[in-house]
Amino acid sequence: MNKNQLWQLTKINLLYANPQATSKARQSGKTGRKLTFALLRQYILIGVIFVALYGVTLLGFNLAIQTAIFTKFIALFTLMLVSQNISVINNVFFESNDQGAYLPLPFDQRTIYLAKTIVVQMANLSFAIPILWVFIMTSVHADNWFVSFLIAIILFILYLSLLFLSCTFVVFGLAQTKIFRQHQKMMTLLLLAISFVAMIAAIFLINNTSQTMSANQTGLFGFNLLHRILVYPLNGSSLFFLTIILAAVVLLAVLADRWLFPQLMVEHKNNRTLRKKNKRAGNSRSMKEQLIRYNLKLLQNPTLLMQNFYMTTFPFIMLGAGALSGDGSGISFEHFSLMYFGVFFLSGIAISALSIGPYSLTALGISLDRSNLFFIQTLPISFLVYLRLKFLTMWVLQTLYLLVLTIAVGFWLHITGVNFVALLLGVIWGAYLISLIYFTRDWRLRDLEWGNVTQLFNRGGGTLVSMLVVFGGMIVFGIIISGYFYLIKYTAVSWLINSFFGLIIFASSAGVIWKYQITFWQKKLK
């Protein structure tokens, strides 16, 4: 195997692992070696941030005896790792569309696949580093800590390999079906969405079962076997389970090498003959209906939708992760009285403010038009009417997704009655206000000549700034909502407190509407 070829192929495929990060690094002037190491640093930095946020909280626990806590954290980051694996495998092996370019070149097929595999593992560092951290922390508390430490490193490598190979078989198995080849964009989005939704559902499921786990310290089934291997590395059952994992990795690796990966070139050749025919648009629809359908078609991009889904759900993931770090006793708002109506309404606004950002549909809608925006200005309709229709279309879609997530959280937290309605109304109103801000921002920063949709995400600071805003917003809203809650709970003038916060919300809303709806759109575009 030519090591120089392997390194060059690895650097090339690293660019496809996360197109958004690549685009952002290039915009900052990085090329060649600097670009490669900038991408690697970002993956490692995110992993370190996760360790700092969640791993540090484990320092006060003896994970060698607290199986439940160990399994909760490993399960959480395993779910994230599975979702990441599916996304990156799809990007590197399929979305890159580079298989045909390798056919005439003197590259060994195994070298190509090994380079892509290495890149997937590099991209997985963000969620793999916290797993390694937990493995090591568990091993150092074991009786035979030195042996446990060595086993932790071996188990970590085997575990990552098992997850990667399992996800590879899922993605490749789907890619070889006829329906995937005929509807690749739709099926890709469906695959990524299912994995992402499954991850969120599993997080809440893990939290709901945490009380029983904490009581008997059995932990989640399957993950408790990993704990046993780390704590009792020389035990007969531990060696047996470790051997099973090793055998599974070897078997899947052999099957992938002999059967799975060679199919990739075959699929590339087959895909050349399976091009979807463009469908005709009906002429009987009204102009409004056609424009709505046109705006919906602008969203048929898996990268755009998955980035939107992920970043919109990110605050909810943090909520689930925070709950997993608790004692598993559960949280319930079932018996909260009506005087907390305002608290829940403000919480709904906070959810929207934290979930909607530069990656939201309303923050991208105008730029997605590209050069069509000039053509639309020539149509026999008011341009302001068209922008209003676009805004409402994007806002409704974004709000519906937020409402689904909020309803799931509401059931999980046992929010009932009027307070639940207040939470949902807060989400709707907050989504409207924040969407106004980002829609106006999209007009100011509009880019109608972008080549990759990830370029739109990077306007105004990019994902890193967005994540920092989310974390900062969590702190600010956490302080405000907590203060609101305790003022009502420990004072006898709840009506006065609610009136005060109601006036603040009303004044803030009026200011946003005046600046970003009335002043900007009514005066600057007329």
Side-chain angles (χ1 to χ4, degrees), residues 351-425:
I351 288 174
S352 293
L354 296 174
S355 301
I356 296 177
Y359 36 78
S360 63
L361 301 182
T362 47
L364 304 170
I366 298 175
S367 295
L368 290 176
D369 279 322
R370 288 182 170 178
S371 58
N372 288 341
L373 193 66
F374 302 117
F375 169 73
I376 292 169
Q377 288 179 293
T378 66
L379 295 177
I381 62 170
S382 166
F383 186 56
L384 188 60
V385 170
Y386 168 73
L387 289 178
R388 186 178 294 115
L389 180 65
K390 175 185 285 289
F391 171 79
L392 291 175
T393 302
M394 302 297 177
W395 168 69
V396 168
L397 292 175
Q398 188 75 52
T399 304
L400 285 175
Y401 181 56
L402 265 179
L403 286 175
V404 170
L405 293 174
T406 306
I407 289 171
V409 171
F411 282 119
W412 174 47
L413 298 177
H414 306 289
I415 304 174
T416 58
V418 178
N419 289 332
F420 197 12
V421 174
L423 181 68
L424 297 180
L425 290 176

Side-chain angles (χ1 to χ4, degrees), residues 55 71 132 206 261 366 435 471 476 478 492 499 515:
T71 58
L132 177 61
I206 291 169
F261 288 151
I366 298 175
S435 292
F471 284 120
V476 172
S499 299
K515 180 176 181 180

Side-chain angles (χ1 to χ4, degrees), residues 270-331:
N270 291 339
N271 283 340
R272 286 178 170 178
T273 62
L274 291 170
R275 302 300 183 190
K276 271 203 307 188
K277 296 180 180 179
N278 292 328
K279 295 185 178 179
R280 60 271 142 227
N283 296 322
S284 60
R285 299 186 183 93
S286 68
M287 179 69 73
K288 181 178 179 180
E289 290 174 336
Q290 291 186 47
L291 289 175
I292 292 176
R293 289 175 63 85
Y294 161 73
N295 279 292
L296 293 177
K297 286 183 178 179
L298 293 176
L299 305 178
Q300 293 179 355
N301 184 309
T303 301
L304 182 154
L305 291 179
M306 282 312 302
Q307 183 70 10
N308 174 259
F309 287 163
Y310 178 77
M311 295 304 294
T312 301
T313 316
F314 184 74
F316 294 89
I317 295 176
M318 295 298 100
L319 174 63
L324 287 175
S325 63
D327 60 2
S329 59
I331 306 174

Side-chain angles (χ1 to χ4, degrees), residues 340-350 422 425-430 433 477 480-481 484 488 497-514:
Y340 293 99
F341 178 94
V343 176
F344 284 95
F345 184 80
L346 181 58
S347 298
I349 294 177
L425 290 176
V427 168
I428 295 172
W429 184 241
L433 295 176
F477 277 113
I480 295 174
I481 293 173
Y484 189 1
I488 292 179
I497 303 299
N498 279 319
S499 299
F500 173 74
F501 276 92
L503 286 173
I504 293 178
I505 293 173
F506 177 80
S508 301
S509 300
V512 170
I513 291 175
W514 175 260

Side-chain angles (χ1 to χ4, degrees), residues 5 10 14 60 193 216 235 243 258 310 428 431 445 480 505 524:
Q5 284 187 352
T10 300
L14 187 61
N216 55 31
N235 184 275
T243 304
R258 300 291 176 85
Y310 178 77
I428 295 172
L445 303 178
I480 295 174
I505 293 173
K524 292 195 176 183

